[in-house]
Amino acid sequence: MKISETIVEKAKQLMQERTKVNGAPAWGLTELTVEKGRMLAKEYGVDESLVATASYLAHIVFSKERDSEIMKNHMFLSAKEAEEKLLGWGADTDIAQKVKRAIELHHTPTNTKDLYFEVVKNADCFKFLSIEGMRVFLEDLKERGMSEDEAQEYAKYKVKQKYGYLTLNKAKEEVDAALAEIEKMLDGTHTIS
């Protein structure tokens, strides 16, 4: 199952537009997710372009408001629109449905046993489970107007949530190596320069 690089580029462009309109997630987090997705795709023998497409489209419907209905349902709202966009861009129906399903599942702790879905989900976790991702996320939360205490509380919640979603050994190994440093960042006892 393949997807053209033209469609990957259209997905990227759409996400860039939506990031500006929605004000979140920070573009650096999206790029980190795509980069980790491509890396994990190679490790696990999954199509990189299919992973990149889902990673770009997973947050096309999003909000800065943490407890909004959009945030609670962004997986399903983004998935529905992603499928429509993919079909409009000429993707095969089976590819559009597979990307849609990956987006729907990117916030679930359950292992689907489908490597494609798991690579997309595990790559998304790196936004909050890597030192680089945490730097970008904390800066973004400050720009959104959160106090340092609020930002740290929200970031700690995301670390715990996303750690519970990890299902791939290679992703977990990389996260475990960075976790102590991330926890120091969030306790305010260490500043990453």
Side-chain angles (χ1 to χ4, degrees), residues 34-46:
V34 172
E35 178 186 323
K36 290 296 181 183
R38 286 186 181 275
M39 178 198 78
L40 289 171
K42 285 179 189 168
E43 295 266 352
Y44 287 95
V46 175

Side-chain angles (χ1 to χ4, degrees), residues 113-126:
K113 306 295 185 206
D114 183 306
L115 277 176
Y116 167 64
F117 297 149
E118 296 309 308
V119 165
V120 171
K121 176 175 65 179
N122 281 251
D124 185 68
C125 293
F126 276 89

Side-chain angles (χ1 to χ4, degrees), residues 107-172:
H107 269 261
T108 178
T110 308
N111 187 335
T112 64
K113 306 295 185 206
D114 183 306
L115 277 176
Y116 167 64
F117 297 149
E118 296 309 308
V119 165
V120 171
K121 176 175 65 179
N122 281 251
D124 185 68
C125 293
F126 276 89
K127 292 187 294 195
F128 310 104
L129 298 175
S130 66
I131 294 166
E132 177 188 353
M134 189 51 66
R135 275 192 203 126
V136 172
F137 186 57
L138 289 171
E139 185 61 36
D140 183 53
L141 293 179
K142 287 178 194 172
E143 288 176 15
R144 291 191 212 177
M146 279 192 188
S147 71
E148 191 167 327
D149 287 344
E150 289 172 319
Q152 286 187 345
E153 176 269 323
Y154 189 29
K156 286 176 184 177
Y157 162 76
K158 294 304 286 183
V159 166
K160 184 176 181 181
Q161 176 195 50
K162 293 296 184 167
Y163 192 82
Y165 295 171
L166 290 175
T167 56
L168 299 176
N169 289 336
K170 294 194 186 298
K172 198 162 186 172

Side-chain angles (χ1 to χ4, degrees), residues 7 19 22 28 40 54 56 70-72 79-80 88 94 108 116 123 132-133 165 169 183-185 193:
I7 290 179
T19 299
N22 299 332
L40 289 171
Y56 280 127
I70 288 174
M71 287 298 285
K72 291 175 187 169
K80 183 177 186 280
D94 57 338
T108 178
Y116 167 64
E132 177 188 353
Y165 295 171
N169 289 336
E183 288 171 350
K184 284 181 189 176
M185 289 172 74
S193 52

Side-chain angles (χ1 to χ4, degrees), residues 65-92:
E65 303 303 319
R66 180 178 172 183
D67 295 321
S68 68
E69 286 302 310
I70 288 174
M71 287 298 285
K72 291 175 187 169
N73 296 298
H74 78 273
M75 303 81 64
F76 306 106
L77 298 169
S78 293
K80 183 177 186 280
E81 186 173 341
E83 181 183 35
E84 292 167 4
K85 291 290 185 189
L86 288 167
L87 292 171
W89 295 334
D92 293 338

